[in-house]
């Protein structure tokens, strides 16, 4: 049933380019690519995204985004939620999660775009960047706008995941550096090399 819901309904949605999670032809690298060569990157994380996505959120997507009748929307909600929330791991959940902010996210994206700011979301990771430096008050305004999107939807930002980096530092988006072209951060490269070396040593012995 979940497979049919995915292929017959969710896969038919034309998702905007700024949504990159669990969409065919897009991935974490495509998400990072949107921000390459920026002067500043701001990264935010939606706290407990899937557990905080309630049956009411999901019903709103089926009823008001897709426009299904009340009976059909309620049945689809019952089929795609568990214990009153969006279950992590279900094949329908990521694309439903992409649609949760369908009312406000397009406006926020367009507003940022008009100001030369790139916006993207990879499931629960929100990233914005600018090819030009931003004044302190503009940075505060951008962060407040992202938090506003989350709070209006009933979500909380994971403030310990907040990052604000400039081109003088190592800027990362979905765990890839974006100072030039997307790539693995140097410290991660070091860990990988060390792990490979340990494995080679174990095999040799």
């Amino acid at each position: 049933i979940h497979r049919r819901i995915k292929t017959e309904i969710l896969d038919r949605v034309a998702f905007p380019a700024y949504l990159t999670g669990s969409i065919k032809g897009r991935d974490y690298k495509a998400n990072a690519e949107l921000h390459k060569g920026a002067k500043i990157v701001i990264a935010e994380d939606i706290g407990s995204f899937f557990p905080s996505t309630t049956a009411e959120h999901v019903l709103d997507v089926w009823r008001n985004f897709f426009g299904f009748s009340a009976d059909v929307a309620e049945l689809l909600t019952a089929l795609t939620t568990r214990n009153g929330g969006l279950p992590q791991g279900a094949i329908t959940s990521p694309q439903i999660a992409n649609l949760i902010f369908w009312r406000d996210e397009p406006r926020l994206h367009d507003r940022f775009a008009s100001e030369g700011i790139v916006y993207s979301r990879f499931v629960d990771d929100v990233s914005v960047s600018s090819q030009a430096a931003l004044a302190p008050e503009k940075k505060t305004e951008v962060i407040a706008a992202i938090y506003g999107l989350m709070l209006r939807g009933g979500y909380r930002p994971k403030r310990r995941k907040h990052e604000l980096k400039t081109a003088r530092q190592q800027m990362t988006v979905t765990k890839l550096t974006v100072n030039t072209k997307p790539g693995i951060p140097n410290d991660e490269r070091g860990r990988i090399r060390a792990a490979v070396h340990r494995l080679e040593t174990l095999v040799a012995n």
Side-chain angles (χ1 to χ4, degrees):
I1 291 171
H2 277 186
R3 179 68 62 185
R4 290 290 298 277
I5 292 171
K6 183 179 186 299
T7 57
E8 298 299 324
I9 304 173
L10 295 169
D11 284 350
R12 296 173 183 265
V13 175
F15 289 98
Y18 61 81
L19 293 175
T20 58
S22 301
I23 298 171
K24 188 176 181 179
R26 306 178 202 176
D27 57 13
Y28 69 99
K29 187 175 180 181
N31 185 62
E33 190 81 26
L34 295 172
H35 303 278
K36 67 180 180 180
K39 290 286 193 300
I40 183 172
V41 169
I42 300 170
E44 303 291 348
D45 190 273
I46 305 169
S48 303
F49 187 39
F50 281 88
S52 298
T53 301
T54 65
E56 287 74 22
H57 286 107
V58 177
L59 179 63
D60 178 60
V61 169
W62 293 126
R63 183 76 176 98
N64 298 307
F65 176 81
F66 284 102
F68 289 120
S69 67
D71 288 347
V72 171
E74 287 170 9
L75 178 57
L76 284 168
T77 300
L79 289 169
T80 54
T81 59
R82 187 169 185 269
N83 297 327
L86 192 65
Q88 202 156 356
I91 62 170
T92 51
S93 291
Q95 284 164 301
I96 293 172
N98 282 332
L99 295 169
I100 289 301
F101 298 111
W102 69 272
R103 296 176 184 275
D104 295 332
E105 200 167 35
R107 285 196 296 269
L108 181 62
H109 166 269
D110 292 349
R111 172 188 156 187
F112 281 162
S114 71
E115 299 169 351
I117 296 171
V118 177
Y119 172 95
S120 73
R121 178 163 64 88
F122 185 83
V123 189
D124 58 354
D125 292 321
V126 176
S127 302
V128 296
S129 66
S130 173
Q131 296 289 331
L134 299 180
E137 59 272 17
K138 188 62 183 178
K139 296 174 190 175
T140 301
E141 180 186 318
V142 167
I143 294 167
I146 297 169
Y147 286 1
L149 173 73
M150 297 181 194
L151 294 170
R152 283 193 302 276
Y155 298 91
R156 296 277 179 186
K158 190 181 289 184
R159 294 181 186 272
R160 64 181 176 82
K161 288 287 192 77
H162 163 80
E163 285 190 4
L164 191 160
K165 298 288 181 65
T166 66
R168 296 177 182 177
Q169 304 164 291
Q170 181 174 272
M171 301 182 298
T172 59
V173 172
T174 44
K175 298 184 179 180
L176 295 178
T177 58
V178 294
N179 294 63
T180 52
K181 63 180 182 180
I184 300 172
N186 291 334
D187 57 348
E188 183 65 18
R189 287 179 186 275
R191 282 194 291 271
I192 292 170
R193 287 194 189 100
V196 170
H197 176 70
R198 286 196 300 273
L199 181 60
E200 288 173 340
T201 302
L202 287 171
V203 171
N205 294 332

